[in-house]
Amino acid sequence: MPGLTHSILAGAILAAAVSLPAQQFTKQTSPLGIPPLPYNIAGNGTGLCCADFDGDGDMDALLPGPNNAPFFLLRNDGGMQFTNVTGGAGLGICPLVRCCVAADFDNDGDPDVLVGSSNAPVKLFVNQGGMTFNEEAVARGIDNPHDVYGATFGDYDNDGWLDLYLSVRNSGISGSLESNSLYQNQGNGTFVEVTAAAGVGSMRPTLVSAFMDYDEDGWVDLLLCNDKGQTFGANELYRNNGDGTFTDVSVQTGTNVVMDGMGIDFTDVFCDGGVDFYVTDLPTDHLFQLWDPTTSAYLDATATYGLLGGGTGWACNWFDYDNDGWQDLHVVQNAAPNKIYQNPAQPASAQIPWANRSAALGMNHVFYQFANVIADFDDDGRLDVLERFTAGPGAMAPESAAVYRNEVVGGNWLKFRARGRVSNRDGFGARVVLKTGTHVQRQWFRNGVGYQSSSDPRLNFGLGAATQADMVTVRWPSGQIQYLHDVQANQHVDLVEPQMTLGGPVVAGQSTTLDVSIPGDQGLVYLMILSFSDTPATPLPDGKFLPVWFDTMASFTLTPGNALLPNSVGFLDANGAASSTLQIPAVPGAQGMTLYATATTLDQPRFAFVRTVFPEALSFTVQ
């Protein structure tokens, strides 16, 4: 009875299909998701970026069109709906775009956009607010006509302003090899090219680079992934010397790998304290480098964990797609199935190969593709994927760009947005350590990773079954350490850098205020201290340091109700802020005197001695 057999078989298949979960990344279709756009046609790809361009709290997107077509600026209206607001945005017509990255280089609170191109000058679109931009690259000191494949912003000199490194594959004029370029932000809205002085003028064809503090000394280093390594040389790692210069440490760190380096991203993969990274390559494999603290060098762990790939790789991004508290890996492979490798949530020593979950998640595309971005477009705590497809010789996607909404039923989460006040506004380079029970995760605010693109600048942490983060510790590029405790799950958290400021000039015989703001320490006891000197720093019993010498002035100003700083001791308010009148008497010798101020908070028994300490004193001269 073949008819009955077929009916039974069909019924069994249907029942099985009904019992299976829906595709766990779902392509958004009209009217949701990305409106129809023209395909890019650039060989080796064209980047894209996402950021909160209009300041309403969610991620908008900028997608360059093909050569001599418009840019496409897409406003996120919530609920996975996007509106094309390109008209009037001031973005103009695209050259043959390579990279497209967003960063707030002028610290004014809104993200700007850097566009690198093939055989056309770099463009810097300065955000004017209201989704409008002015192109000001040359006026701002960036004049680069070469084939700029990658760009990354980071504060290499820790002065609070984002610097820029451009990855140059070759000269856009002659076609020969051309140096990469480092531009130092002058803090006045302009850049100065300092490549030679800093010692980072690699002449290899670099497709992507990243500011990455591999040795975690508080100074971001530079990792370069180079194309055609067999011909022109291996990848390079430059250690930041902290004095404006870098030293090539590629050989001693084991990062001098010969390959065709394409995309890059880094994180603490196994939650064990190292800064690990992944680089895509031509077949037969990609590259996973695992930090070995015993040798202070990197191991090639690609085969150990089954992360070989197999196709021609381009973009790669670490992201915890199921919010279990372990970083997974998304890899774009041109004309070969894309990969999502699931972190097995086990220590590195277990050496468990990672499973490729892309087919089960509906993400094993086999299209002609180079770039994408990872972002939580609907702000539900699950990271989505915006794929950008290209017209070419391989299989073409049915659309030029599509958002794949993450509908995985996963764990709890926390999302962090940085607002630097002493450090750069975006907080790029800040390290966030999140502890739930005995599990400790670490991520960095970073820029320009992936391939030719920049993803959601916020950090998304999966918590698994935990309902709160017991402790969140932020190390800002300024050196400031900030703490938050008992942070409830499933919310967006603004990380605002602690700061100490003066209310105005300090004039002998007149009064002003000394103000502290320490978000996360609200309700705690604070101490404000004045000193005649910031050297030597005063060691504390817990290993921390007060950035002033504890002299007679310091002792006097800690006396409650003293005449100089009467509210030097008290409780921070609900916002973590406090203020005290500061008055220097009009006595002989007061004018021209330099004083140093600092503050700290107490939180026993959670912290044995002090909690927050400012890393540097606030100095001022009495007028």
Side-chain angles (χ1 to χ4, degrees):
M1 301 176 66
L4 179 59
T5 302
H6 289 162
S7 297
I8 293 172
L9 179 60
I13 292 173
L14 177 62
V18 170
S19 67
L20 289 173
Q23 291 282 6
Q24 294 184 299
F25 279 82
T26 304
K27 182 168 66 176
Q28 301 302 287
T29 56
S30 183
L32 303 180
I34 301 297
L37 303 175
Y39 287 87
N40 275 317
I41 58 175
N44 292 354
T46 289
L48 63 157
C49 66
C50 62
D52 183 10
F53 292 118
D54 56 1
D56 66 351
D58 55 24
M59 290 294 109
D60 311 299
L62 177 63
L63 289 77
N67 194 21
N68 295 319
F71 287 88
F72 294 96
L73 181 61
L74 306 178
R75 185 186 67 216
N76 188 339
D77 295 324
M80 280 292 180
Q81 292 190 339
F82 294 83
T83 300
N84 186 347
V85 294
T86 306
L91 297 169
I93 301 300
C94 294
L96 180 57
V97 172
R98 295 299 189 192
C99 63
C100 180
V101 298
D104 184 5
F105 80 91
D106 52 5
N107 283 350
D108 66 352
D110 49 33
D112 313 293
V113 179
L114 188 288
V115 174
S117 303
S118 176
N119 303 321
V122 164
K123 293 180 179 292
L124 180 63
F125 293 106
V126 182
N127 195 330
Q128 307 298 302
M131 301 289 269
T132 61
F133 297 81
N134 287 340
E135 199 291 303
E136 302 177 12
V138 174
R140 301 290 185 142
I142 302 173
D143 187 5
N144 194 308
H146 301 297
D147 201 6
V148 176
Y149 264 68
T152 181
F153 284 92
D155 186 5
Y156 81 91
D157 51 5
N158 283 347
D159 66 350
W161 298 88
L162 287 174
D163 310 299
L164 171 66
Y165 193 75
L166 299 181
S167 302
V168 179
R169 191 170 190 260
N170 54 260
S171 169
I173 300 171
S174 66
S176 60
L177 293 181
E178 181 65 36
S179 172
N180 295 335
S181 297
L182 175 63
Y183 293 88
Q184 183 185 48
N185 192 326
Q186 301 300 291
N188 59 1
T190 66
F191 292 85
V192 172
E193 201 261 323
V194 294
T195 314
V200 289
S202 174
M203 291 291 290
R204 298 172 188 178
T206 305
L207 295 194
V208 65
S209 52
F211 283 109
M212 180 187 81
D213 186 8
Y214 83 94
D215 54 1
E216 301 194 68
D217 65 351
W219 296 88
V220 290
D221 313 296
L222 263 173
L223 177 63
L224 278 54
C225 299
N226 297 320
D227 195 13
K228 311 302 179 188
Q230 289 284 0
T231 302
F232 298 110
N235 293 344
E236 299 162 276
L237 178 61
Y238 290 90
R239 186 186 67 228
N240 191 333
N241 298 320
D243 59 1
T245 68
F246 292 77
T247 299
D248 187 342
V249 293
S250 310
V251 174
Q252 54 264 51
T253 57
T255 51
N256 60 326
V257 178
V258 172
M259 62 185 304
D260 292 270
M262 316 278 198
I264 186 173
D265 197 6
F266 63 91
T267 193
D268 182 359
V269 173
F270 293 105
C271 302
D272 57 2
V275 185
D276 315 306
F277 65 89
Y278 194 83
V279 184
T280 51
D281 193 4
L282 294 178
T284 55
D285 62 12
H286 305 317
L287 174 67
F288 173 44
Q289 294 219 265
L290 179 66
W291 179 250
D292 182 355
T294 60
T295 61
S296 294
Y298 282 95
L299 302 172
D300 181 347
T302 318
T304 302
Y305 301 100
L307 300 176
L308 297 144
T312 299
W314 296 93
C316 59
N317 296 94
W318 298 103
F319 78 132
D320 184 1
Y321 78 85
D322 53 2
N323 283 334
D324 67 347
W326 299 81
Q327 294 287 300
D328 311 300
L329 177 65
H330 185 285
V331 181
V332 168
Q333 300 195 136
N334 188 16
N338 288 352
K339 307 281 189 179
I340 294 184
Y341 292 105
Q342 185 179 33
N343 191 322
Q346 295 293 323
S349 58
Q351 297 191 349
I352 298 174
W354 293 28
N356 174 23
R357 296 271 294 141
S358 59
L361 294 169
M363 294 293 285
N364 59 331
H365 314 315
V366 190
F367 298 131
Y368 198 61
Q369 181 188 6
F370 300 91
N372 69 354
V373 293
I374 310 294
D376 185 4
F377 286 110
D378 54 1
D379 285 329
D380 66 350
R382 293 176 290 190
L383 290 169
D384 314 301
V385 183
L386 170 55
E387 306 277 27
R388 183 65 159 137
F389 303 110
T390 301
M396 282 180 58
E399 59 280 303
S400 68
V403 172
Y404 289 79
R405 183 178 184 176
N406 186 343
E407 297 179 348
V408 174
V409 178
N412 295 318
W413 53 273
L414 279 169
K415 189 182 304 297
F416 297 99
R417 180 175 63 181
R419 181 156 70 88
R421 296 193 288 187
V422 180
S423 304
N424 67 87
R425 174 82 179 213
D426 285 330
F428 291 152
R431 181 187 65 202
V432 179
V433 181
L434 185 146
K435 183 177 181 180
T436 51
T438 59
H439 186 52
V440 179
Q441 303 179 59
R442 307 186 320 150
Q443 293 188 54
W444 288 260
F445 287 100
R446 57 202 189 278
N447 175 260
V449 296
Y451 176 67
Q452 297 184 331
S453 306
S454 62
S455 292
D456 193 333
R458 303 170 297 181
L459 295 184
N460 202 94
F461 282 85
L463 303 184
T467 57
Q468 69 172 28
D470 301 324
M471 182 66 75
V472 176
T473 305
V474 186
R475 188 194 190 282
W476 293 87
S478 66
Q480 180 70 60
I481 307 296
Q482 181 180 18
Y483 305 95
L484 292 81
H485 62 268
D486 302 334
V487 183
Q488 296 303 301
N490 304 325
Q491 64 167 316
H492 296 241
V493 179
D494 284 335
L495 295 175
V496 182
E497 186 177 16
Q499 185 181 34
M500 172 176 274
T501 57
L502 289 168
V506 180
V507 180
Q510 300 179 23
S511 63
T512 185
T513 58
L514 184 61
D515 308 306
V516 295
S517 172
I518 310 177
D521 285 12
Q522 50 268 22
L524 296 180
V525 172
Y526 71 84
L527 309 175
M528 295 184 190
I529 304 168
L530 296 182
S531 174
F532 287 116
S533 178
D534 63 344
T535 56
T538 302
L540 301 175
D542 56 1
K544 298 174 182 176
F545 289 84
L546 283 178
V548 297
W549 176 239
F550 199 82
D551 54 18
T552 55
M553 171 69 81
S555 179
F556 175 75
T557 54
L558 278 180
T559 304
N562 69 83
L564 298 181
L565 203 62
N567 295 320
S568 60
V569 179
F571 293 91
L572 297 179
D573 66 17
N575 296 313
S579 180
S580 175
T581 299
L582 172 61
Q583 182 167 331
I584 305 299
V587 297
Q591 287 184 322
M593 178 174 58
T594 298
L595 294 175
Y596 300 85
T598 190
T600 187
T601 58
L602 308 179
D603 185 20
Q604 287 85 20
R606 189 177 283 111
F607 288 77
F609 195 70
V610 300
R611 175 166 163 142
T612 298
V613 178
F614 286 97
E616 293 185 2
L618 173 66
S619 64
F620 58 89
T621 300
V622 180
Q623 299 178 14

